[in-house]
mmCIF file of all heavy atoms in Angstrom:
data_model
loop_
_atom_site.group_PDB
_atom_site.id
_atom_site.type_symbol
_atom_site.label_atom_id
_atom_site.label_comp_id
_atom_site.label_asym_id
_atom_site.label_seq_id
_atom_site.Cartn_x
_atom_site.Cartn_y
_atom_site.Cartn_z
ATOM 1 N N TRP G 14 128.200 131.161 102.669
ATOM 2 C CA TRP G 14 128.867 131.408 103.948
ATOM 3 C C TRP G 14 129.802 132.591 103.784
ATOM 4 O O TRP G 14 130.675 132.585 102.926
ATOM 5 C CB TRP G 14 129.641 130.156 104.377
ATOM 6 C CG TRP G 14 130.449 130.387 105.612
ATOM 7 C CD1 TRP G 14 131.795 130.485 105.704
ATOM 8 C CD2 TRP G 14 129.938 130.576 106.945
ATOM 9 N NE1 TRP G 14 132.162 130.721 107.010
ATOM 10 C CE2 TRP G 14 131.048 130.793 107.790
ATOM 11 C CE3 TRP G 14 128.656 130.597 107.494
ATOM 12 C CZ2 TRP G 14 130.903 131.009 109.162
ATOM 13 C CZ3 TRP G 14 128.523 130.829 108.862
ATOM 14 C CH2 TRP G 14 129.627 131.020 109.669
ATOM 15 N N GLN G 15 129.611 133.614 104.617
ATOM 16 C CA GLN G 15 130.434 134.818 104.466
ATOM 17 C C GLN G 15 130.615 135.510 105.816
ATOM 18 O O GLN G 15 129.621 135.873 106.468
ATOM 19 C CB GLN G 15 129.736 135.781 103.499
ATOM 20 C CG GLN G 15 130.649 136.800 102.883
ATOM 21 C CD GLN G 15 129.886 137.623 101.856
ATOM 22 O OE1 GLN G 15 129.100 138.503 102.196
ATOM 23 N NE2 GLN G 15 130.085 137.321 100.596
ATOM 24 N N ILE G 50 112.255 130.099 103.641
ATOM 25 C CA ILE G 50 113.215 131.045 103.038
ATOM 26 C C ILE G 50 114.258 130.209 102.308
ATOM 27 O O ILE G 50 114.648 130.496 101.188
ATOM 28 C CB ILE G 50 113.858 131.934 104.131
ATOM 29 C CG1 ILE G 50 112.835 132.957 104.594
ATOM 30 C CG2 ILE G 50 115.127 132.614 103.619
ATOM 31 C CD1 ILE G 50 113.291 133.831 105.741
ATOM 32 N N GLU G 71 126.606 129.057 120.370
ATOM 33 C CA GLU G 71 125.812 129.688 121.433
ATOM 34 C C GLU G 71 125.799 128.856 122.717
ATOM 35 O O GLU G 71 125.220 129.260 123.719
ATOM 36 C CB GLU G 71 124.374 129.922 120.929
ATOM 37 C CG GLU G 71 124.320 130.979 119.830
ATOM 38 C CD GLU G 71 122.957 131.049 119.134
ATOM 39 O OE1 GLU G 71 121.966 130.511 119.667
ATOM 40 O OE2 GLU G 71 122.906 131.639 118.030
ATOM 41 N N PHE G 80 128.856 119.832 126.509
ATOM 42 C CA PHE G 80 128.695 120.487 125.206
ATOM 43 C C PHE G 80 127.971 119.552 124.226
ATOM 44 O O PHE G 80 127.024 119.943 123.548
ATOM 45 C CB PHE G 80 130.074 120.891 124.658
ATOM 46 C CG PHE G 80 130.042 121.364 123.234
ATOM 47 C CD1 PHE G 80 129.637 122.661 122.929
ATOM 48 C CD2 PHE G 80 130.400 120.511 122.189
ATOM 49 C CE1 PHE G 80 129.599 123.096 121.605
ATOM 50 C CE2 PHE G 80 130.352 120.937 120.877
ATOM 51 C CZ PHE G 80 129.957 122.236 120.580
ATOM 52 N N THR G 132 132.162 121.366 103.827
ATOM 53 C CA THR G 132 132.441 120.159 103.026
ATOM 54 C C THR G 132 131.147 119.608 102.428
ATOM 55 O O THR G 132 131.096 119.261 101.244
ATOM 56 C CB THR G 132 133.112 119.073 103.913
ATOM 57 O OG1 THR G 132 134.267 119.653 104.496
ATOM 58 C CG2 THR G 132 133.500 117.845 103.113
ATOM 59 N N ALA G 184 121.953 120.065 82.107
ATOM 60 C CA ALA G 184 122.901 119.243 81.336
ATOM 61 C C ALA G 184 122.354 119.004 79.931
ATOM 62 O O ALA G 184 123.095 119.074 78.943
ATOM 63 C CB ALA G 184 123.142 117.922 82.060
ATOM 64 N N ARG G 193 112.758 122.160 75.327
ATOM 65 C CA ARG G 193 111.978 123.039 76.207
ATOM 66 C C ARG G 193 111.644 122.294 77.490
ATOM 67 O O ARG G 193 111.536 121.069 77.499
ATOM 68 C CB ARG G 193 110.695 123.405 75.453
ATOM 69 C CG ARG G 193 109.582 124.075 76.198
ATOM 70 C CD ARG G 193 108.563 124.654 75.236
ATOM 71 N NE ARG G 193 109.194 125.608 74.319
ATOM 72 C CZ ARG G 193 109.434 126.894 74.630
ATOM 73 N NH1 ARG G 193 109.053 127.379 75.784
ATOM 74 N NH2 ARG G 193 110.035 127.688 73.774
ATOM 75 N N THR G 199 102.829 124.008 90.464
ATOM 76 C CA THR G 199 102.992 123.423 91.803
ATOM 77 C C THR G 199 102.256 124.217 92.888
ATOM 78 O O THR G 199 102.856 124.832 93.779
ATOM 79 C CB THR G 199 104.488 123.239 92.191
ATOM 80 O OG1 THR G 199 105.223 122.780 91.058
ATOM 81 C CG2 THR G 199 104.637 122.249 93.323
ATOM 82 N N THR G 224 99.580 125.198 84.426
ATOM 83 C CA THR G 224 98.995 124.910 85.733
ATOM 84 C C THR G 224 99.013 123.390 85.915
ATOM 85 O O THR G 224 99.064 122.625 84.937
ATOM 86 C CB THR G 224 97.547 125.440 85.864
ATOM 87 O OG1 THR G 224 96.719 124.694 84.974
ATOM 88 C CG2 THR G 224 97.460 126.919 85.534
ATOM 89 N N VAL G 249 114.007 102.399 100.813
ATOM 90 C CA VAL G 249 115.017 101.514 100.216
ATOM 91 C C VAL G 249 114.455 100.750 99.002
ATOM 92 O O VAL G 249 115.197 100.389 98.094
ATOM 93 C CB VAL G 249 115.566 100.559 101.305
ATOM 94 C CG1 VAL G 249 116.543 99.563 100.717
ATOM 95 C CG2 VAL G 249 116.247 101.365 102.398
ATOM 96 N N LEU G 254 108.782 109.874 98.537
ATOM 97 C CA LEU G 254 107.980 110.961 99.109
ATOM 98 C C LEU G 254 108.457 112.265 98.474
ATOM 99 O O LEU G 254 109.657 112.556 98.476
ATOM 100 C CB LEU G 254 108.213 110.995 100.627
ATOM 101 C CG LEU G 254 107.498 112.092 101.402
ATOM 102 C CD1 LEU G 254 106.135 111.578 101.861
ATOM 103 C CD2 LEU G 254 108.303 112.511 102.608
ATOM 104 N N ILE G 257 103.495 117.358 96.922
ATOM 105 C CA ILE G 257 102.149 116.936 96.531
ATOM 106 C C ILE G 257 101.963 117.175 95.011
ATOM 107 O O ILE G 257 102.309 118.231 94.503
ATOM 108 C CB ILE G 257 101.081 117.701 97.374
ATOM 109 C CG1 ILE G 257 99.691 117.127 97.162
ATOM 110 C CG2 ILE G 257 101.099 119.199 97.132
ATOM 111 C CD1 ILE G 257 99.445 115.848 97.870
ATOM 112 N N LYS G 267 102.776 107.060 83.397
ATOM 113 C CA LYS G 267 102.572 105.630 83.120
ATOM 114 C C LYS G 267 101.475 105.450 82.058
ATOM 115 O O LYS G 267 101.632 104.695 81.092
ATOM 116 C CB LYS G 267 102.159 104.929 84.429
ATOM 117 C CG LYS G 267 102.049 103.440 84.356
ATOM 118 C CD LYS G 267 103.417 102.854 84.495
ATOM 119 C CE LYS G 267 103.442 101.400 84.822
ATOM 120 N NZ LYS G 267 104.831 100.906 84.901
ATOM 121 N N LEU G 286 113.989 103.005 106.174
ATOM 122 C CA LEU G 286 112.622 102.918 105.643
ATOM 123 C C LEU G 286 112.577 101.884 104.509
ATOM 124 O O LEU G 286 113.055 102.158 103.405
ATOM 125 C CB LEU G 286 112.217 104.312 105.127
ATOM 126 C CG LEU G 286 110.757 104.570 104.803
ATOM 127 C CD1 LEU G 286 109.899 104.469 106.059
ATOM 128 C CD2 LEU G 286 110.609 105.966 104.179
ATOM 129 N N ALA G 300 96.149 128.904 104.892
ATOM 130 C CA ALA G 300 96.231 130.080 104.020
ATOM 131 C C ALA G 300 96.700 129.704 102.619
ATOM 132 O O ALA G 300 96.321 130.334 101.636
ATOM 133 C CB ALA G 300 97.165 131.097 104.642
ATOM 134 N N ASN G 319 95.115 119.905 102.973
ATOM 135 C CA ASN G 319 96.305 120.498 102.360
ATOM 136 C C ASN G 319 97.580 119.698 102.667
ATOM 137 O O ASN G 319 98.492 120.194 103.338
ATOM 138 C CB ASN G 319 96.434 121.949 102.865
ATOM 139 C CG ASN G 319 97.466 122.741 102.097
ATOM 140 O OD1 ASN G 319 98.030 122.250 101.112
ATOM 141 N ND2 ASN G 319 97.738 123.950 102.541
ATOM 142 N N PRO G 320 97.654 118.441 102.194
ATOM 143 C CA PRO G 320 98.883 117.675 102.445
ATOM 144 C C PRO G 320 100.068 118.261 101.684
ATOM 145 O O PRO G 320 99.916 118.704 100.546
ATOM 146 C CB PRO G 320 98.537 116.270 101.920
ATOM 147 C CG PRO G 320 97.442 116.491 100.934
ATOM 148 C CD PRO G 320 96.681 117.715 101.375
ATOM 149 N N VAL G 349 122.679 101.169 97.808
ATOM 150 C CA VAL G 349 122.825 101.775 99.135
ATOM 151 C C VAL G 349 123.761 100.918 99.998
ATOM 152 O O VAL G 349 124.634 101.442 100.692
ATOM 153 C CB VAL G 349 121.433 101.914 99.807
ATOM 154 C CG1 VAL G 349 121.570 102.248 101.280
ATOM 155 C CG2 VAL G 349 120.619 102.983 99.103
#
Side-chain angles (χ1 to χ4, degrees):
W14 175 252
Q15 200 175 76
I50 286 176
E71 292 169 16
F80 170 80
T132 304
R193 168 166 302 277
T199 320
T224 67
V249 176
L254 178 90
I257 189 76
K267 186 82 164 178
L286 193 64
N319 191 5
V349 168

